[in-house]
Amino acid sequence: MLQFENVSFRYAEDDFDMMRNLNFQVEDREFVSIIGASGCGKSTIFRLINGLEKLQQGRILVDGRPVQELKNYSAFMPQKDLLFPWRTIEKNICLPMELAKVPKAEQEKRCKEVLEQVGLSEYAKKYPKDLSGGMKQRVAFARTLLSGADMLLLDEPFSALDYLTRVDMQEWLLHQWEHYHKTILFITHDVEEAIFLSKTIFIIQDRPFSQMERVEVPLSYPRNREDLKRPDIVELKETLIEKLRRSVMNP
């Protein structure tokens, strides 16, 4: 689904590379989390995938084709919901379809379907101010889905939520992933969140980095919170935390 081939990148204001000759790949319909210290380059990976930044060297491929040749191949959901306060929930959700000039009747049909799926049908005519933080993130996710992209880039979408809401949203997101069969790349600082959600975790430990350690999570789907208490999962969590600590202490 996604492949980085010898990708190098640095920001214009820096005199050092953020990443150098980076190679990794993500399989179709895989749920992948990327963890690492603040400023290590996690969000830069998303910006390169989206074409918001231009790599200095290498190639980024989606389904075997360079991203420069593609349109609508990925959709981005940031930490903030970025809903327009003057638009109703249904109008916010329909925005990517409006931009794609989807016929209005089809917009209404798809919007109704996705609102039912995320459990917010009764809020279609409400405004963002009428929703809780968790509800707003569900609306933002619904809007991301209706972009039509098969690859979703989620950049710490739950970090601003309180603990119980974040737990609920994690379980809800897994359900949506299993229903829609999308490929998801998920950035988080929360090791437990990464373990609970992901099939694969990539760890950024170096600066600049030329590789990301790949860790397979030994849990099948569907999952529940009790799985996190398994001795091997507790050990994995401690191992990942220790790797992150070492990367912070040795930048």
Side-chain angles (χ1 to χ4, degrees), residues 9-240:
F9 174 80
R10 73 169 59 185
Y11 287 102
E13 63 271 19
D14 293 336
D15 57 2
F16 59 89
D17 290 340
M18 173 69 73
M19 61 192 73
R20 186 179 301 147
N21 298 321
L22 177 64
N23 292 276
F24 76 95
Q25 64 182 32
V26 175
E27 302 302 323
D28 187 31
R29 300 185 180 183
E30 192 173 16
F31 198 125
V32 170
S33 286
I34 303 175
I35 63 174
S38 296
C40 69
K42 300 185 298 296
S43 296
T44 302
I45 289 175
F46 280 11
R47 293 180 65 82
L48 288 168
I49 293 171
N50 269 333
L52 298 175
E53 302 289 350
K54 292 185 178 181
L55 63 167
Q56 277 80 46
Q57 176 183 305
R59 297 195 304 167
I60 300 174
L61 309 175
V62 172
D63 290 330
R65 296 175 58 194
V67 293
Q68 294 88 341
E69 300 176 3
L70 303 174
K71 292 183 179 180
N72 202 34
Y73 56 91
S74 68
F76 176 62
M77 179 180 168
Q79 178 179 338
K80 295 182 179 179
D81 58 70
L82 300 182
L83 300 177
F84 293 112
W86 59 87
R87 292 176 70 109
T88 63
I89 298 309
E90 63 181 357
K91 290 295 185 183
N92 266 287
I93 287 177
C94 285
L95 184 59
M97 294 187 289
E98 287 180 27
L99 296 174
K101 302 191 185 313
V102 174
K104 192 166 184 179
E106 182 65 17
Q107 288 184 36
E108 293 173 354
K109 176 177 177 291
R110 293 185 195 173
C111 181
K112 181 179 179 181
E113 289 173 352
V114 77
L115 277 172
E116 289 175 357
Q117 184 60 33
V118 302
L120 292 172
S121 296
E122 66 271 30
Y123 292 91
K125 303 297 183 184
K126 300 285 188 181
Y127 289 85
K129 65 179 178 61
D130 302 316
L131 275 61
S132 67
M135 289 177 176
K136 290 177 184 177
Q137 289 303 83
R138 279 192 273 165
V139 172
F141 183 78
R143 183 175 62 185
T144 304
L145 280 173
L146 289 179
S147 69
D150 290 326
M151 180 168 57
L152 308 183
L153 310 176
L154 312 184
D155 192 349
E156 298 192 70
F158 307 146
S159 61
L161 303 176
D162 65 82
Y163 177 76
L164 289 178
T165 302
R166 189 163 71 247
V167 166
D168 287 343
M169 289 298 297
Q170 291 166 4
E171 295 170 350
W172 176 86
L173 177 59
L174 276 186
H175 179 72
Q176 302 305 309
W177 173 66
E178 291 166 351
H179 177 80
Y180 285 103
H181 307 296
K182 301 286 187 179
T183 302
I184 293 182
L185 277 71
F186 190 96
I187 289 175
T188 179
H189 282 93
D190 187 331
V191 170
E192 185 173 287
E193 180 174 66
I195 292 172
F196 182 68
L197 293 173
S198 313
K199 177 176 181 272
T200 301
I201 299 173
F202 285 111
I203 313 163
I204 300 174
Q205 298 182 77
D206 303 316
R207 302 181 194 178
F209 60 100
S210 57
Q211 63 180 1
M212 299 189 291
E213 182 178 352
R214 182 182 182 116
V215 176
E216 302 297 328
V217 178
L219 290 174
S220 58
Y221 295 98
R223 299 176 179 178
N224 60 63
R225 311 305 299 189
E226 290 300 309
D227 292 328
L228 296 173
K229 299 177 182 178
R230 279 176 29 179
D232 59 330
I233 299 303
V234 173
E235 183 179 355
L236 174 60
K237 177 181 175 181
E238 293 304 315
T239 298
L240 294 176

